[in-house]
Structures are given as C-alpha cells and as structure tokens.
Amino acid sequence: MIKAVRGTRDLLPPDTDLWNRVEAQVRDVFARYNYHEIRTPIFEDTQLFSRSVGEETDIVSKEMFTWEVAGDPERVAGILDAESLSLTLRPENTAGVVRAYIQHGLDRAGKLQKLYYIGPQFRRERPQKGRYRQFYQIGAEIIGPPSAGSESPLRDAEVLEMLATLLDEVGLRDWQLQLNSVGCAEDRARYNQALREALQPVVHLMCTDCQRRAQTNPLRVLDCKVPEDQPIVERLPKISQYLDEPCCVHFQLVRAMLDAVGIAYTINERMVRGLDYYTRTTFEFTHGGLGAQSAVLGGGRYDGLSESLEGPKAPGIGFAIGEDRLILALQSQGEKPAEKVQAYIAPLGAGMNVHVLKLARELRRAGISADIGDETFRLKKSFESAEKAGARFIVIVGENEVAAEQFAVKNLASGEQVQVPRAELAAHLRK
Ligand code: AMP
C-alpha cells in the first residue's frame, strides 16, 4: 500500500472544518487591517533562499528540498550562462514575497504594501508532533520605501497588536509573546565578534554544529538545542549590550506602544530566530498546549532584505503563523471542529426523491445547509441517518406532507417536533 510520505499528512474532515474556520477568521482580520493576499510559487530559484535566509542557517544548510533541472536550450547554448538551475520547494514565504515585491516594482507605488499569504512550506526536519516536512503557514508582511514610514516602530506595534487580536479572535487562550531586538547589521557584526571571543576558549566542549557556527556565524550558536551546550550558551554575552542608539530607541518605542495598548510580553534575549535576514524587532508567540514545539508563530523586522536581493531600499516587518500548530493548540483547548448540517431531509416512501431534491434546492438557495437522505419507508432509519450526518433538524418528506405543503420538522437535540408550512421552513430552520 502506498502511504503519505514521512513528514507529510492528509488533513481530513472534520479537522478541515476547523482549518477552514480559522482561515476564514484570519482572512477577516487581515481585511480589517487592510492587508491583501499575495500568492507566490511553491518552488523558487535556490539562490533566493541562500541569499536571504542565509547559508549558515539550519533551514538552508540542511533542511531544503532542492533539485537540479537542465536549463532551457537557449541557456545551454550559451546565450545565458546557467546550464542548469537549482530549484527549491519554499521553506518559508517571506523571501518569495520580497522577490515578488522587487520583480513587480511594487515600491514604485510609493506606499506601504500590506500583503498576506496562506500556504504550504517544506523543510526536511525530523518529523514529530507539531513538526512536519510539509506544513502550512499563514503569514503577512508590511513592506515599503522608508518615505512611506516602513521603518517606523509604529509598524512593529501594529503587527504585534494585530497578532494579539487575531489569536484572541480565533479563540486561542493563554498565548505568550516573547520579544527581542537583534539590532542592525553593524550591531550584529560587533555582537558576533564578542560571541566569537567568548566562544573561543569553550567551543571545543560544544556540539559539532556549534563548533562550525562559532567560525561562520556565531549568532546561530544561540539557536543550539543540545542540552549539554546550554550552560555555555546561557553565559554568552547578551545582544542588548551591543545595540546602537537608534536601535535601542526603536525597541523602546515598540515596547512603549505595546504597553499603551495593554499587550503583555517577556523579553527573551536568546531569541535570535533561525533566519539571517532579521533586524531589530524579533518575536515569537508561544502556547503551553504544544509541548516541545511551543512556538505558534514567529517573525520580525527585515530592513535590509530587499537590498540583499538587489532590490530597492524597502524595510519591512512580517510574521508566519504555523497553522498546523495553531490548530493543535486550539484542539488542546478542546476546540470542536465540526459544524453540524442544519437540515437532514428524509424522503419517506416511494417516489419522494424528486420532492426532496426540490425542497433541498429551495432551502440551500435560502442559505440553509441541507443534506439529503436515502429513500426509506422507515422513520427510525431516517432518524439514525440524521444523527450520523450530524444534523440539527430532520425534515420528513412523505406523500401527505407534499400534498399539504407542510412538513414534520424535529429538533434532534431537544426532541421537539412541529408541523411547519413550506413557506416558513427556511425561517424555522435558521433559528
Ligand atoms: P519560522 O519560519 O521558522 O520562523 O517558523 C514560523 C512558524 O512556523 C513557527 O513558529 C512554527 O509555528 C511554524 N513551523 C516552522 N517549521 C515548522 C515545521 N517543520 N512544522 C510545523 N510548523 C512549523
């Protein structure tokens, strides 16, 4: 038997009802904050990720699904240089959004672009609960020229405030916001130097990944999850000591605005996030119901990303919600996914099918969700089927009912049964 590949999974009803409910609520929140959807391809030129997410990150160095394809004949003929092209299933979506922003000259609009996406991402991680090789992200970006205010801490606060609202509205309780600032490129160069010096006498005691990171990108040592390395990591210098004045002020303003709107957070100086493009504000929202993979979402500011992809100066800030984890967290709170169908229409006796079809058509067009049962002579069997279908009401359609234009309607929860004229049926079922 052929099964879904390790790390991938089928999403089935009734879970998909919960997924769709969450997505509908999230789209509604995005609309109220004036975001618009962007859809980028699921695979991109590999360089897009190595140049933005960073060669030394776990994502690029070991987690990408990458393959080579022969270049098109014109390329191979030497008209263009590449003979083959390396392609990668997107491991995240910010790089693709910024590529599209540059490619379509969206900066020329001279305003902030507020873009959101919902879709699958791919990483070759070790599969476990809350960690899959195909997973789904709901993300958004605010990006634009500095003249449109893209660098303002107001945008950081607006994004964080929206996330608090979004998580509240989808019904997640007890989430926590962790906040940090990773400064600008110059701050990080100085911090990396300090880390290098602090690591030098102890790095031989650490895991092989850290030994490599200490050479190439010491900041990534802070991502280390190996338990034995933690005492060393805890004692390393803190990023806050290396932020320059503008970065400090930016961070202070973001925090002051969060305080003003009453959003609680904790500062986590180790949270440097697993991607290199971040500058200044970084954040994660966590939830206790998720176990080891506790981050529901992560994000931050990326003021230099567009330029590192040869685009215009276009600072931005964004986030990605792990949709799989958001759903798991909601389910850990006992969230019930299934929406019951409103009416189960049961044909009683011979020749009722066409009447049932007509009645179902009327109700569905009137906005009532309705399902149709199999023709049967036994009322008991119809009730059983209606229960199985998860219906709120059963509507019995027999010869007498059709002739009288009046139907027996039973509320399956309360057991109450009444006769309802055809003209009033939709209104009755809507209650
Ligand atoms: P990142 O792009 O790594 O900052 O991830 C943002 C969010 O996506 C995380 O906080 C997780 O909720 C989710 N996420 C990342 N990787 C995975 C994965 N392999 N499986 C499920 N969710 C993931």
Side-chain angles (χ1 to χ4, degrees), residues 9 59 63 91-94 117 121-126 128-138 273-275 277-278 283-285 290 293-299 319-326:
R9 51 195 194 131
I59 295 176
E63 293 171 359
E92 61 102 56
N93 219 335
T94 300
Y117 58 83
Q121 317 293 335
F122 306 85
R123 295 183 195 172
R124 198 194 300 270
E125 294 192 86
R126 196 169 60 75
Q128 54 184 286
K129 186 179 171 221
R131 184 186 274 164
Y132 312 100
R133 290 181 166 179
Q134 173 171 340
F135 60 101
Y136 293 81
Q137 285 185 334
I138 300 171
R273 315 269 302 115
L275 301 88
Y277 53 62
Y278 285 117
F283 54 85
E284 280 183 3
F285 284 69
L290 285 173
Q293 309 303 319
S294 66
V296 183
L297 70 93
F319 63 84
I321 302 171
E323 193 176 0
D324 308 73
R325 292 193 196 168
L326 177 58

Side-chain angles (χ1 to χ4, degrees), residues 368-387:
I368 305 287
S369 62
D371 208 351
I372 298 179
D374 279 341
E375 195 183 49
T376 171
F377 288 94
R378 289 169 49 221
L379 214 48
K380 185 160 174 283
K381 184 156 176 269
S382 294
F383 279 112
E384 282 166 12
S385 306
E387 290 279 1

Side-chain angles (χ1 to χ4, degrees), residues 184-400:
C184 54
E186 296 79 46
D187 299 341
R188 272 218 305 288
R190 281 186 289 125
Y191 183 50
N192 265 327
Q193 186 52 35
L195 285 176
R196 213 170 259 125
E197 283 163 20
L199 284 166
Q200 204 260 331
V202 286
V203 74
H204 65 279
L205 303 169
M206 301 184 79
C207 69
T208 48
D209 275 344
C210 279
Q211 295 185 18
R212 197 194 66 241
R213 292 166 178 146
Q215 296 296 322
T216 53
N217 191 348
L219 193 72
R220 296 268 76 91
V221 170
L222 302 188
D223 294 336
C224 179
K225 303 280 179 322
V226 175
E228 293 76 30
D229 288 359
Q230 298 313 304
I232 297 177
V233 178
E234 289 300 332
R235 283 199 297 276
L236 290 171
K238 299 281 184 283
I239 182 108
S240 58
Q241 296 154 359
Y242 296 84
L243 300 187
D244 65 14
E245 179 69 14
C247 288
C248 282
V249 170
H250 185 99
F251 197 34
Q252 272 162 14
L253 291 171
V254 173
R255 291 186 328 227
M257 280 185 266
L258 291 180
D259 294 340
V261 291
I263 294 174
Y265 53 85
T266 50
I267 304 288
N268 177 356
E269 292 215 40
R270 265 191 71 177
M271 195 192 54
V272 292
R273 315 269 302 115
L275 301 88
D276 280 353
Y277 53 62
Y278 285 117
T279 54
R280 295 194 165 172
T281 313
T282 55
F283 54 85
E284 280 183 3
F285 284 69
T286 55
H287 188 265
L290 285 173
Q293 309 303 319
S294 66
V296 183
L297 70 93
R301 184 166 267 290
Y302 46 81
D303 290 345
L305 178 53
S306 171
E307 286 156 293
S308 73
L309 295 172
E310 291 158 47
K313 188 168 168 60
I317 179 163
F319 63 84
I321 302 171
E323 193 176 0
D324 308 73
R325 292 193 196 168
L326 177 58
I327 300 287
L328 281 171
L330 288 170
Q331 287 170 335
S332 78
Q333 295 178 173
E335 196 83 19
K336 288 284 179 298
E339 267 302 311
K340 287 193 165 186
V341 68
Q342 204 65 6
Y344 184 88
I345 307 175
L348 201 63
M352 286 299 110
N353 285 357
V354 69
H355 296 294
V356 160
L357 189 64
K358 278 168 138 177
L359 187 64
R361 174 175 156 89
E362 279 171 35
L363 293 175
R364 288 163 171 167
R365 288 190 161 217
I368 305 287
S369 62
D371 208 351
I372 298 179
D374 279 341
E375 195 183 49
T376 171
F377 288 94
R378 289 169 49 221
L379 214 48
K380 185 160 174 283
K381 184 156 176 269
S382 294
F383 279 112
E384 282 166 12
S385 306
E387 290 279 1
K388 261 190 215 154
R392 291 189 198 281
F393 293 95
I394 181 166
V395 181
I396 310 295
V397 180
E399 271 177 40
N400 297 340

